[in-house]
Amino acid sequence: MKTLFAIALSLVSFFSPANKPVPVIELNKFAGKWYSLYSIPTMFDKNTQQTTTMYTLNKDGYYNVLTEAHKDGDLKTYRSKLFPVANVANGQFKAQFLWPFKVDYWVIEVADDYSYVVVGHPDKKFLFIMSRKPEMDEKLHEEIVARCKAKGYDVAKLTSQHHHA
């Protein structure tokens, strides 16, 4: 019975879409303001709402990141950095919230026109669905969530950021 279960699990893993960074990211197109619409939050952004993040590509090739979020009724501001992984032109980044520590930050889906992006993690610890606007078409949202679920993310943990258009 254990062998049958292992075979079934292998088949599911084989046919499931891989959780991996997108093959190409255009750094200039990724720059700018993003609205975090839904997330499986990290410990740092648990219970935040109306989060926006501004990615500014600097001359050294990484992003200066400014995040604003409402938490406990107050507007909080956080600064961090986002580094493309050296010699890789895909959606694989390292985020640095506290020097010298860096965490994996993978762009696992991006719209052709960069109108939305999905950020995940190799271990599926967090997930962010972000848009250039404070809202997203419900059908598109449902399709993105279904794809994330197929990649192994626990989409039942997704929380809304409660943006108001």
Side-chain angles (χ1 to χ4, degrees), residues 13-151:
S13 297
F14 181 75
F15 290 110
S16 295
N19 179 45
K20 62 183 180 183
V22 295
V24 176
I25 279 288
E26 294 183 48
L27 297 179
N28 286 324
K29 286 186 177 182
F30 184 78
K33 184 176 184 175
W34 291 98
Y35 292 85
S36 180
L37 301 180
Y38 299 90
S39 65
I40 298 174
T42 68
M43 66 180 175
F44 298 110
D45 44 27
K46 219 176 231 354
N47 301 317
T48 59
Q49 294 187 359
Q50 301 173 345
T51 302
T52 60
T53 307
M54 178 64 77
Y55 295 86
T56 304
L57 189 59
N58 65 36
K59 64 179 176 43
D60 296 323
Y62 66 87
Y63 295 98
N64 292 312
V65 182
L66 177 65
T67 302
E68 294 183 337
H70 289 84
K71 187 171 186 170
D72 302 324
D74 295 324
L75 180 63
K76 307 285 185 183
T77 302
Y78 309 94
R79 294 187 184 279
S80 59
K81 296 177 181 176
L82 186 66
F83 299 89
V85 173
N87 303 319
V88 178
N90 66 17
Q92 190 173 354
F93 294 90
K94 294 283 187 178
Q96 185 177 63
F97 301 99
L98 179 65
W99 185 86
F101 306 103
K102 294 180 183 171
V103 297
D104 289 308
Y105 181 105
W106 284 4
V107 175
I108 61 171
E109 186 173 332
V110 64
D112 292 340
D113 63 357
Y114 285 70
S115 59
Y116 76 86
V117 66
V118 181
V119 174
H121 186 270
D123 296 330
K124 304 169 190 131
K125 293 178 181 180
F126 59 79
L127 183 71
F128 296 93
I129 300 172
M130 301 188 300
S131 174
R132 295 293 188 180
K133 298 179 181 177
E135 74 279 334
M136 176 180 279
D137 176 75
E138 187 62 32
K139 184 175 187 256
L140 175 60
H141 170 254
E142 290 170 1
E143 292 168 352
I144 292 170
V145 170
R147 288 191 293 271
C148 292
K149 182 176 182 178
K151 291 176 183 178

